[in-house]
Amino acid sequence: MIIHIVMFKFKNRTEESIEKAKNMLLDMEGKIEELKHIEVGRDITQSGRSYDVALLTKFESAEDLKSYQINPLHVKVAEYLVSVADSIVAVDYESP
């Protein structure tokens, strides 16, 4: 299993902008075959080092992650998030 985690810090940290991003991410569920699991969470501490939204996704293989990354729906969501984010960080790892 491949775990893909992405965290987003938004330029405009309003309730509306965070909810829009969260809903766009969750809307991918069931629409991309390779995407086996998705969780989206909002930061609850709002500390200076916090990011606003975390995305956790799971894939059966690295090849499935690559297919997900070029899927037109994911590309559309990613392009929007890049346009509204101040910072994005990610990590991908293999889970036993």
Side-chain angles (χ1 to χ4, degrees):
M1 187 68 58
I2 302 297
I3 310 297
H4 174 64
I5 299 172
V6 185
M7 294 188 301
F8 305 91
K9 187 176 284 196
F10 297 108
K11 297 172 191 172
N12 179 4
R13 300 175 89 179
T14 64
E15 178 74 23
E16 295 81 18
S17 65
I18 292 170
E19 280 302 307
K20 179 177 180 177
K22 183 179 172 184
N23 291 335
M24 287 182 78
L25 289 164
L26 287 172
D27 190 52
M28 292 188 294
E29 187 170 23
K31 296 179 180 172
I32 299 176
E33 181 180 343
E34 296 84 3
L35 181 58
K36 300 304 178 195
H37 176 82
I38 185 169
E39 291 178 38
V40 180
R42 292 184 59 156
D43 175 63
I44 60 171
T45 60
Q46 299 180 343
S47 73
R49 67 184 183 102
S50 294
Y51 275 64
D52 300 304
V53 171
L55 168 69
L56 182 141
T57 53
K58 295 181 181 181
F59 303 88
E60 290 182 3
S61 66
E63 293 76 25
D64 284 353
L65 172 59
K66 289 176 186 175
S67 293
Y68 159 81
Q69 290 175 328
I70 62 171
N71 179 285
L73 176 57
H74 173 262
V75 170
K76 179 181 173 183
V77 172
E79 286 174 348
Y80 171 76
L81 291 169
V82 166
S83 77
V84 298
D86 189 40
S87 178
I88 302 171
V89 295
V91 64
D92 302 304
Y93 64 93
E94 191 167 9
S95 177

